Amino acid sequence: MRPDLPLRLKNSGAALILVLWVLAFLTVIAAQFARTMRTEAGIAFNYREMARAHYSARAGVNMALQALLRSLRHPTAMQTRSEDPDPDAPDWRINMDIPITGPRQERIVTRIDNEGGKVNINLADQRLLRLAVSGLGLTEEEENTIVDSILDWRDSDNRPRPLGAEDDYYQALPVPHPCKNSDFDDISELLLVRGVTPEIYFAGLSERVTVHPTRDTARQALGMKPGTSQSADGFDFNRININAAAPELLMALPEFTAEMVEALVEYRLEQDLRADSDLVKLIGARAFLSVRPLITYHRSPYYTLSATAQMDQSGVRQGVAMTVRLDLQAKDQYHTVHWHPHTVVR
């Protein structure tokens, strides 16, 4: 036997251990690389699905807009259920969820809401503003505080109402800010108004109100004369559209019961109320006489179109919405006044 053999065996064992360590190290790197690739592939897949869902929702909004524009050319459209010969055609109706199946089998739920079913905090009078805050579990004093403060926020003077607030009140807050003394640009401004807490705002107030249109827009674009509450097309901003009001706002109407609201919502699934006689049949003469000064059958020229798309394979969900003003006389029959990207809707 050669005398250097034990040394050679020892060196070979060390080399083998080194090789095993290198292999183990490379295995860890490969596993980490594979894990990173899987993560990045998952991220890319989710991003692609989010993009698809987003643009599917945008497609749903555009389909709703086209249906709404068709209703301008055919006044009876969307007042009764569609008689389209295509059994798969969506049944376009105001104030209800409209399901659509997209080209990739994604589920799209669209909705057309007329802003006339909400209380316009720029134009509504004290009576209608009180309707907006009623039924939210507030005391009479709390309701009056919010109503007076909304009126003080939007008027041009600096004289507070009995329970309202002007600059003196807001400048004394821990985080001071001025009283706007002008129209609301966004409903979220209500969170700056005296008496409106986040709990009140998110518990239902935000769903009952709108800022479209402002006073200047109502006069310039809608032909509303100073000192009046009606636009040129007949919509009265001191009333709410009974066909478009949400059930929560309907419940706030005087003399209305849950059974009346349920009957009214069920009726609206098939057709709009078009005359006082239709409403009397549903709620009775007593309740009708109480709500008649607060309601209208005319639509506001402002609509909010929304859509949510959910991808079938991944379940990713995205929503968008936009508020538009319709004008039959204009070359472009609609004007987008607010775009709501990445909005999750009902």
Side-chain angles (χ1 to χ4, degrees), residues 308-324:
T308 300
Q310 182 171 344
M311 305 307 292
D312 184 60
Q313 182 179 357
S314 63
V316 170
R317 188 170 181 260
Q318 291 285 296
V320 298
M322 68 176 177
T323 302
V324 298

Side-chain angles (χ1 to χ4, degrees), residues 92-166:
W92 296 102
R93 293 278 298 134
I94 300 292
N95 201 35
M96 65 180 290
D97 292 340
I98 306 163
I100 303 172
T101 301
R104 295 184 178 87
Q105 299 304 305
E106 66 269 33
R107 294 185 292 275
I108 306 173
V109 178
T110 61
R111 188 177 179 91
I112 303 173
D113 286 305
N114 185 255
E115 292 294 281
K118 301 176 182 178
V119 176
N120 187 311
I121 53 177
N122 287 321
L123 299 174
D125 60 11
Q126 189 176 42
R127 177 183 56 180
L128 204 61
L129 289 173
R130 183 165 285 105
L131 178 69
V133 299
S134 63
L136 295 176
L138 306 178
T139 65
E140 183 178 356
E141 182 176 348
E142 289 172 332
E143 291 179 359
N144 290 334
T145 297
I146 294 175
V147 170
D148 280 1
S149 298
I150 289 175
L151 293 170
D152 281 337
W153 184 268
R154 75 188 196 191
D155 67 20
S156 59
D157 62 54
N158 204 31
R159 298 187 301 274
R161 287 169 172 77
L163 293 176
E166 291 283 358

Side-chain angles (χ1 to χ4, degrees), residues 133-318:
V133 299
S134 63
L136 295 176
L138 306 178
T139 65
E140 183 178 356
E141 182 176 348
E142 289 172 332
E143 291 179 359
N144 290 334
T145 297
I146 294 175
V147 170
D148 280 1
S149 298
I150 289 175
L151 293 170
D152 281 337
W153 184 268
R154 75 188 196 191
D155 67 20
S156 59
D157 62 54
N158 204 31
R159 298 187 301 274
R161 287 169 172 77
L163 293 176
E166 291 283 358
D167 273 337
D168 289 345
Y169 172 83
Y170 294 113
Q171 293 295 344
L173 293 174
V175 181
H177 60 81
C179 183
K180 190 174 186 181
N181 288 333
S182 182
D183 284 342
F184 290 81
D185 292 315
D186 190 272
I187 61 171
S188 61
E189 287 181 32
L190 282 170
L191 290 167
L192 299 174
V193 172
R194 180 184 183 184
V196 180
T197 64
E199 291 76 18
I200 294 172
Y201 180 82
F202 292 109
L205 181 58
S206 63
E207 300 296 325
R208 300 179 176 194
V209 298
T210 181
V211 296
H212 303 296
T214 62
R215 188 176 292 101
D216 288 341
T217 302
R219 292 173 180 172
Q220 297 171 10
L222 305 181
M224 190 180 80
K225 297 179 180 179
T228 67
S229 59
Q230 285 191 357
S231 61
D233 62 358
F235 183 78
D236 191 336
F237 292 101
N238 283 332
R239 300 169 183 258
I240 60 169
N241 185 314
I242 194 70
N243 291 307
E248 294 80 10
L249 191 54
L250 292 175
M251 276 298 300
L253 289 169
E255 301 291 340
F256 258 54
T257 64
E259 291 75 17
M260 292 177 185
V261 172
E262 184 179 357
L264 178 54
V265 170
E266 186 175 349
Y267 183 95
R268 295 189 316 190
L269 292 176
E270 299 293 333
Q271 59 186 317
D272 286 352
L273 293 155
R274 303 183 193 180
D276 291 345
S277 57
D278 296 333
L279 186 56
V280 170
K281 292 177 183 177
L282 287 174
I283 66 174
R286 178 179 176 179
F288 169 76
L289 292 175
S290 296
V291 302
R292 186 66 189 92
L294 298 171
I295 65 167
T296 180
Y297 307 104
H298 288 279
R299 292 182 189 170
S300 165
Y302 287 81
Y303 292 79
T304 294
L305 315 171
S306 55
T308 300
Q310 182 171 344
M311 305 307 292
D312 184 60
Q313 182 179 357
S314 63
V316 170
R317 188 170 181 260
Q318 291 285 296

Side-chain angles (χ1 to χ4, degrees), residues 42-98:
I43 293 173
F45 174 78
N46 287 336
Y47 182 81
R48 184 191 66 181
E49 291 292 279
M50 289 175 64
R52 284 181 172 179
H54 174 77
Y55 285 103
S56 293
R58 293 186 67 152
V61 164
N62 285 321
M63 291 177 66
L65 177 59
Q66 293 304 313
L68 189 56
L69 291 175
R70 283 196 300 270
S71 76
L72 292 176
R73 297 185 286 269
H74 306 284
T76 58
M78 283 197 244
Q79 293 185 7
T80 58
R81 278 194 176 271
S82 167
E83 296 181 0
D84 196 308
D86 181 3
D88 296 325
D91 183 20
W92 296 102
R93 293 278 298 134
I94 300 292
N95 201 35
M96 65 180 290
D97 292 340
I98 306 163

Side-chain angles (χ1 to χ4, degrees), residues 22-36:
V22 170
L23 288 175
F25 180 70
L26 292 176
T27 300
V28 171
I29 292 177
Q32 184 62 35
F33 180 77
R35 180 181 178 182
T36 301

